Amino acid sequence: MSKTIDFYFDYSSPFGYLASERIEELAAKHDRTIVWRPILLGAVFKVTGQAPLTQMPLKGNYSMRDFARSAKEHKITYKHPENFPIGAVAACRATLWMRDHESENISKHTTAFVHAVFQAYYVAGKDISDTDVITQLANDIGVDHALLNSAINEQPVKAALRKEVDDAIALEVFGSPMMIVDNEPFWGNDRIEQLDRWLDQGGW
Amino acid sequence: MSKTIDFYFDYSSPFGYLASERIEELAAKHDRTIVWRPILLGAVFKVTGQAPLTQMPLKGNYSMRDFARSAKEHKITYKHPENFPIGAVAACRATLWMRDHESENISKHTTAFVHAVFQAYYVAGKDISDTDVITQLANDIGVDHALLNSAINEQPVKAALRKEVDDAIALEVFGSPMMIVDNEPFWGNDRIEQLDRWLDQGGW
């Protein structure tokens, strides 16, 4: 088994989206497997006292410019959603259920699903807080929507998301994206170059 | 007169230090003059509800790694000070007094003084909260220490610092370094490349 890149992200994180569009190329270069780790920054912010960037005093206008400029820097389509941030609990549960569901060829669809959800929100402007939107996105990539809809309403999947978030906080994951390789954390789309160099050199 | 880069910084900001070591090359490339704008993030944080990076829940350990990795990325010597963050009121007042003191050939020393203070703190580990340290640093680069010591205890210089901070907050400066060119703000040492591209292209 190849080594991993733990990729922590919130679907309401613009920089999580930008990094999600870039991380596969990096992982392939270094022969690493991505472990998609959806979290809820709302829970993290209760610990850190932070708030969504667009709601922080003085920082809101800047963050909008920064999203747009950073997307252009990497030539990634980005349309700031009208409803932002958004509750992505169903999307997170669906992602976790797929990732950890190795039977029935389901876990192999996880990467495509993560991209589908992010692009639905930041490109197509869809309401990804809507469970029907999420199950339809899954169906479009070959995951039975009824099976998914059932799974994300069951206790084990709900518990899995709570555990994913709690474990992330225990590892001092405080933002999105946070990428951890061999216990070394890198926070932000703007740290992918440092992560690349770290993997090139095995530390520095 | 050439156009400017307004460079807002706090002497207790590691990324302000890193950017201060890089901004002159950028300014020269684009024929811009740097306006050094020392501020006190403590006053800004009262508005934003933020705290120094090293004191934020979950973020302290990470920020220490990030300082060290970012310094290495740019081949800048960085030793995290034992006493961090530090009160830099005297250093800020001295910087402003020099910058705005065009007679007696004093303002021309401002850039050298900014570097001297940052390096005293992040390379030599000196106590830059000590007014004697600050006046000695100024003396070393050719600014009379008695003249400086007198100036920074006078009301106009104290008021100038308060105004500098208030004006920065009015412009939504929320962190260090913040670089503003032609009303476009760039926050962080890690945005210097975007600033470079912005100046190359006249926006994008």
Side-chain angles (χ1 to χ4, degrees):
Chain A
M1 266 195 69
S2 75
K3 297 172 94 173
T4 56
I5 297 174
D6 286 295
F7 186 90
Y8 293 87
F9 66 98
D10 184 309
Y11 281 114
S12 275
S13 160
F15 292 116
Y17 162 59
L18 297 183
S20 76
E21 295 279 325
R22 302 174 61 210
I23 195 68
E24 279 176 278
E25 185 181 342
L26 186 83
K29 176 182 171 189
H30 297 285
D31 193 25
R32 295 249 172 179
T33 303
I34 299 166
V35 182
W36 299 103
R37 296 194 174 279
I39 59 170
L40 298 167
L41 281 182
V44 175
F45 290 163
K46 284 182 186 167
V47 179
T48 61
Q50 297 285 95
L53 287 170
T54 52
Q55 297 173 8
M56 286 177 63
L58 306 186
K59 213 166 176 171
N61 291 330
Y62 180 80
S63 67
M64 294 289 287
R65 291 173 187 246
D66 198 28
F67 300 156
R69 289 193 312 232
S70 297
K72 280 189 185 170
E73 178 184 350
H74 298 292
K75 301 183 171 55
I76 298 169
T77 302
Y78 179 86
K79 297 177 189 165
H80 191 70
E82 279 187 36
N83 185 10
F84 179 89
I86 203 165
V89 172
C92 286
R93 287 181 188 159
T95 307
L96 282 180
W97 172 74
M98 281 189 209
R99 187 194 73 189
D100 297 338
H101 196 97
E102 289 176 16
S103 60
E104 302 166 77
N105 267 332
I106 284 178
S107 75
K108 66 190 287 191
H109 293 291
T110 310
T111 297
F113 180 72
V114 169
H115 292 313
V117 175
F118 266 135
Q119 290 166 8
Y121 190 42
Y122 293 108
V123 179
K126 289 189 183 169
D127 177 5
I128 62 164
S129 71
D130 182 340
T131 303
D132 290 342
V133 169
I134 294 303
T135 55
Q136 185 61 48
L137 288 170
N139 211 59
D140 291 346
I141 59 168
V143 176
D144 183 76
H145 66 97
L147 190 62
L148 173 65
N149 192 50
S150 168
I152 64 176
N153 286 301
E154 287 166 10
Q155 283 307 322
V157 174
K158 293 181 180 179
L161 178 55
R162 281 194 297 272
K163 179 169 162 43
E164 193 84 6
V165 174
D166 288 346
D167 289 353
I169 291 170
L171 288 171
E172 301 190 329
V173 171
F174 57 81
S176 163
M178 176 84 87
M179 298 148 282
I180 303 183
V181 294
D182 311 336
N183 300 315
E184 186 76 12
F186 293 82
W187 172 52
N189 173 60
D190 52 25
R191 289 298 183 274
I192 286 185
E193 289 75 13
Q194 285 192 11
L195 170 56
D196 184 25
R197 189 168 157 190
W198 184 276
L199 291 171
D200 269 338
Q201 305 184 352
W204 63 26
Chain B
M1 265 194 70
S2 75
K3 297 173 92 172
T4 56
I5 297 174
D6 285 296
F7 186 90
Y8 294 85
F9 65 99
D10 184 309
Y11 282 114
S12 275
S13 161
F15 292 117
Y17 162 59
L18 297 184
S20 76
E21 295 280 325
R22 302 173 62 210
I23 195 68
E24 279 175 279
E25 185 180 341
L26 186 83
K29 177 182 170 189
H30 298 285
D31 192 25
R32 294 249 173 178
T33 303
I34 300 167
V35 181
W36 299 103
R37 295 195 175 278
I39 58 171
L40 299 167
L41 280 182
V44 175
F45 290 163
K46 284 182 187 167
V47 179
T48 62
Q50 296 285 96
L53 287 169
T54 53
Q55 296 174 9
M56 285 176 63
L58 305 186
K59 213 165 177 173
N61 291 329
Y62 179 80
S63 67
M64 294 290 286
R65 291 172 187 247
D66 198 28
F67 300 156
R69 289 194 312 234
S70 297
K72 280 188 184 168
E73 178 184 350
H74 298 292
K75 300 183 171 57
I76 297 169
T77 302
Y78 179 85
K79 296 176 188 166
H80 191 71
E82 279 187 39
N83 184 10
F84 179 90
I86 204 165
V89 172
C92 286
R93 287 181 187 159
T95 307
L96 282 180
W97 173 73
M98 279 188 209
R99 187 195 72 189
D100 298 338
H101 196 98
E102 289 176 16
S103 60
E104 300 165 79
N105 266 331
I106 284 179
S107 73
K108 67 190 285 191
H109 293 293
T110 311
T111 297
F113 180 70
V114 170
H115 292 313
V117 175
F118 266 134
Q119 290 167 7
Y121 189 42
Y122 292 108
V123 179
K126 289 189 183 170
D127 178 4
I128 61 164
S129 71
D130 182 339
T131 302
D132 290 343
V133 169
I134 294 304
T135 53
Q136 184 61 48
L137 288 170
N139 211 59
D140 291 347
I141 59 169
V143 177
D144 183 77
H145 66 98
L147 190 63
L148 174 64
N149 192 51
S150 167
I152 64 176
N153 285 302
E154 286 167 9
Q155 283 307 322
V157 174
K158 293 181 180 180
L161 178 55
R162 281 195 297 272
K163 179 170 164 40
E164 192 84 7
V165 174
D166 288 345
D167 289 352
I169 291 171
L171 288 171
E172 300 191 330
V173 171
F174 57 81
S176 163
M178 176 84 87
M179 297 148 284
I180 302 183
V181 293
D182 310 335
N183 300 315
E184 186 75 12
F186 294 82
W187 172 52
N189 174 59
D190 52 24
R191 289 299 183 273
I192 285 185
E193 289 75 13
Q194 285 193 11
L195 170 56
D196 185 24
R197 190 170 155 190
W198 183 277
L199 291 171
D200 269 339
Q201 304 183 354
W204 63 28

